[in-house]
Amino acid sequence: MIRDTMINTANGMIPTSSSSANAQSPGLKTYFKTPEGRYKLHYEKTHPSGLLHYAHGKTVTQVTLAHLKEKPAPSTPTSASSSFSASSGVRSAAARWLGSGNGSRALGFAGGNGGTKSVSGISRIGSLSALSSSNSMTNTNFDGKGTYLIFNVGDAIFISDLNSQDKDPIKSIHFSNSNPVCHAFDQDAKDGHDLLIGLNSGDVFSVSMRQQLQDVGKKLVGAQHYNKDCSVNNSSRCTSIAWVPGGDGAFVVAHADGNMYVYEKSNPIARWHVCQGSINSIAFSFDGAYIATVGRDGYLRVFDYSKEQLVCGGKSYYGALLCCAWSVDGKYVLTGGEDDLVQVWSMEDRKVVAWGEGHNSWVSGVAFDSYWSTPNSDGTGETVMYRFGSVGQDTQLLLWDLEMDEIVVPLRRGPPGGSPTYSTGSQSSHWDNVCPLGTLQSAPSIRDVPKISPLVAHRVHTEPLSGLIFTQESVLTVCREGHIKIWMRPSVAESQSSNSETVLSNSFKDKPLLSGKIGSSSYKQ
């Protein structure tokens, strides 16, 4: 367990003379309160101070968490055909897309209500090339395992050791012709290529994370290059990238022109035209059954991945949607965007079941906290409350508790001549019929959807935020300028707390949390 060595002053402010105050302003606190205790700022990560240059403003920093396992024992090399094989679901989908010829299928989902799908044959697409460095030097100090942070700033990818309090990264990879904008890591990759990197130029690379750490140079080594010379997509920047869970090396790349490409490790196999504007973010459910997309047109779209079908979706209240995330059980999808709101979608009901108001600017990142344990579990093993977080361009981190049985449905007008109705309790998410399969909905009236309020609202950075990640021991926040903060959970940092703080924390634990209800309190910092 990491020891908390952050020096706190009496009022919780970071001293301006401290070296730990990198990118901190004197007005930011080093902790925030929750009912279960204090989250404390443990340490920070950032890029070298001399990095900033003219190209920096063209990118927004994103963070990927990478956990490297023990290096597996060498195995007998497999044939090329089997090494690029896909899982059964992906393989069957590829067979339908490719058919008996060399063409691939283009799937269109942008028209009308999304219920129709135009399919047209296109010629074989794609190119794959390998990049290697014959004179690369090996870093013999790298032990081959650990947890790392991967983040992009300007024209570089940086890698930091999460378990080290050193601010500076341990590895930098620079790109000469374009800036990296998105990345994804697969700890279960079987062929060693576990890191995907998408560039502003539309180029995509897959590499071995371990190999990059072992090499002392500043260029990619052993990379597979996709969409080289715009052979797949015509110069449209990458916007989001994701491994297919259980896909045996398959991955999906979203672009600013509204297209999404499905790749196997050898070549692209399909193009999905999702919307007319940019796809801003994509996210797979944890079992790989569904993929959610959000875009410039303000729509969330959820697809059944193997069946190539639109399941449900709907529009934001205003402007683009910028981010989306799944609950671990696949029951809920979070979205956030330019309307400053966080929306909670139910996969069971295929509709918005709650919305959260608390940000003062665009919501740029959302995530469920899968490591948080509910304080009032019903003992059945089922999740009765969810904790999730959101960050925005208002520099704030918000934490929310979602307890569906406690959400109050707003007052609704009945049919003409009838009296208004008021619904509470477990029926809250079933007040209307389930929406039909494959339709995109307009934004519902805010007065017809339950409102939740944030449990915590805390200004964590001086710059607009671009993302957050929950880990077992901490919450990570990142600003668009490339500064990352690691906030330790109360269970980890509590040993450093005073007796009075511990008593206060315990008094909260004894009380049931009703933050899912309208009008719940918020801890303003």
Side-chain angles (χ1 to χ4, degrees), residues 340-406:
D340 304 352
L341 303 176
V342 178
Q343 292 191 355
V344 183
W345 276 78
S346 167
M347 285 299 292
E348 179 183 1
D349 300 304
R350 297 197 287 271
K351 65 190 301 179
V352 176
V353 293
W355 63 277
E357 184 179 50
H359 282 286
N360 301 314
S361 187
W362 295 357
V363 179
S364 48
V366 288
F368 277 95
D369 185 353
S370 60
Y371 299 95
W372 180 78
S373 57
T374 175
N376 59 343
S377 174
D378 60 2
T380 63
E382 292 187 6
T383 302
V384 296
M385 183 188 291
Y386 298 81
R387 167 70 59 83
F388 64 88
S390 60
V391 293
Q393 296 192 20
D394 57 2
T395 73
Q396 288 196 108
L397 164 69
L398 271 56
L399 296 182
W400 313 73
D401 281 351
L402 177 70
E403 189 170 13
M404 292 307 299
D405 287 347
E406 296 292 339

Side-chain angles (χ1 to χ4, degrees), residues 151-381:
F151 60 103
N152 60 290
V153 182
D155 63 355
I157 286 281
F158 294 98
I159 303 175
S160 287
D161 185 348
L162 178 62
N163 296 318
S164 166
Q165 296 192 27
D166 292 339
K167 276 191 180 61
D168 289 337
I170 60 176
K171 173 74 176 182
S172 63
I173 302 171
H174 294 262
F175 297 80
S176 57
N177 297 324
S178 184
N179 291 345
V181 292
C182 53
H183 25 85
F185 179 80
D186 178 14
Q187 68 174 10
D188 298 318
K190 296 178 180 178
D191 67 349
H193 274 234
D194 46 18
L195 177 61
L196 295 170
I197 302 171
L199 304 187
N200 196 61
S201 60
D203 293 74
V204 177
F205 296 95
S206 71
V207 296
S208 163
M209 173 80 168
R210 181 174 278 105
Q211 189 174 357
Q212 308 313 304
L213 289 171
Q214 290 173 338
D215 186 79
V216 297
K218 293 188 176 182
K219 299 295 182 182
L220 285 180
V221 293
Q224 292 177 346
H225 189 179
Y226 301 85
N227 196 27
K228 184 180 181 182
D229 300 324
C230 305
S231 59
V232 178
N233 181 279
N234 187 20
S235 301
S236 176
R237 63 184 171 88
C238 298
T239 56
S240 189
I241 198 164
W243 292 102
V244 180
D248 215 8
F251 60 91
V252 176
V253 185
H255 289 265
D257 61 1
N259 286 315
M260 209 162 58
Y261 293 86
V262 181
Y263 290 80
E264 289 183 351
K265 278 299 183 70
S266 54
N267 261 319
I269 60 172
R271 174 175 66 89
W272 296 25
H273 182 60
V274 175
C275 55
Q276 296 301 326
S278 173
I279 302 172
N280 291 328
S281 183
I282 61 176
F284 272 98
S285 60
F286 285 79
D287 61 2
Y290 299 99
I291 183 170
T293 72
V294 291
R296 183 68 191 91
D297 61 0
Y299 278 96
L300 163 73
R301 293 173 173 88
V302 179
F303 299 98
D304 184 309
Y305 178 68
S306 63
K307 294 180 180 178
E308 313 155 18
Q309 291 178 347
L310 178 70
V311 176
C312 63
K315 201 174 188 306
S316 62
Y317 287 106
Y318 172 80
L321 285 176
L322 304 175
C323 52
C324 58
W326 288 86
S327 62
V328 174
D329 57 16
K331 293 182 178 180
Y332 298 100
V333 182
L334 300 173
T335 64
E338 294 180 358
D339 56 10
D340 304 352
L341 303 176
V342 178
Q343 292 191 355
V344 183
W345 276 78
S346 167
M347 285 299 292
E348 179 183 1
D349 300 304
R350 297 197 287 271
K351 65 190 301 179
V352 176
V353 293
W355 63 277
E357 184 179 50
H359 282 286
N360 301 314
S361 187
W362 295 357
V363 179
S364 48
V366 288
F368 277 95
D369 185 353
S370 60
Y371 299 95
W372 180 78
S373 57
T374 175
N376 59 343
S377 174
D378 60 2
T380 63

Side-chain angles (χ1 to χ4, degrees), residues 386-520:
Y386 298 81
R387 167 70 59 83
F388 64 88
S390 60
V391 293
Q393 296 192 20
D394 57 2
T395 73
Q396 288 196 108
L397 164 69
L398 271 56
L399 296 182
W400 313 73
D401 281 351
L402 177 70
E403 189 170 13
M404 292 307 299
D405 287 347
E406 296 292 339
I407 285 183
V408 177
V409 177
L411 190 68
R412 298 185 297 123
R413 296 184 181 277
S419 59
T421 59
Y422 190 80
S423 303
T424 60
S426 60
Q427 300 299 317
S428 62
S429 61
H430 303 280
W431 66 88
D432 282 323
N433 292 331
V434 172
C435 292
L437 180 72
T439 59
L440 293 178
Q441 307 165 38
S442 58
S445 172
I446 285 183
R447 65 184 180 87
D448 289 337
V449 180
K451 176 186 175 182
I452 58 175
S453 298
L455 179 76
V456 171
H458 181 64
R459 185 169 179 252
V460 291
H461 289 251
T462 58
E463 299 293 334
L465 298 175
S466 57
L468 78 162
I469 296 176
F470 290 100
T471 75
Q472 188 169 1
E473 293 187 333
S474 62
V475 180
L476 281 60
T477 56
V478 57
C479 76
R480 60 188 304 157
E481 303 298 322
H483 308 296
I484 304 166
K485 295 185 179 181
I486 293 90
W487 305 84
M488 303 308 291
R489 294 180 183 273
S491 59
V492 178
E494 217 165 46
S495 60
Q496 303 295 324
S497 300
S498 66
N499 291 335
S500 61
E501 291 170 355
T502 304
V503 171
L504 178 63
S505 171
N506 290 336
S507 68
F508 274 119
K509 290 180 180 178
D510 294 336
K511 299 179 181 179
L513 299 181
L514 301 178
S515 60
K517 291 185 176 180
I518 295 177
S520 63

Side-chain angles (χ1 to χ4, degrees), residues 47-59 153-156 158 174-175 178-179 481:
H47 50 80
S49 58
L51 172 76
L52 298 180
H53 54 83
Y54 73 95
H56 175 62
K58 297 180 180 180
T59 61
V153 182
D155 63 355
F158 294 98
H174 294 262
F175 297 80
S178 184
N179 291 345
E481 303 298 322

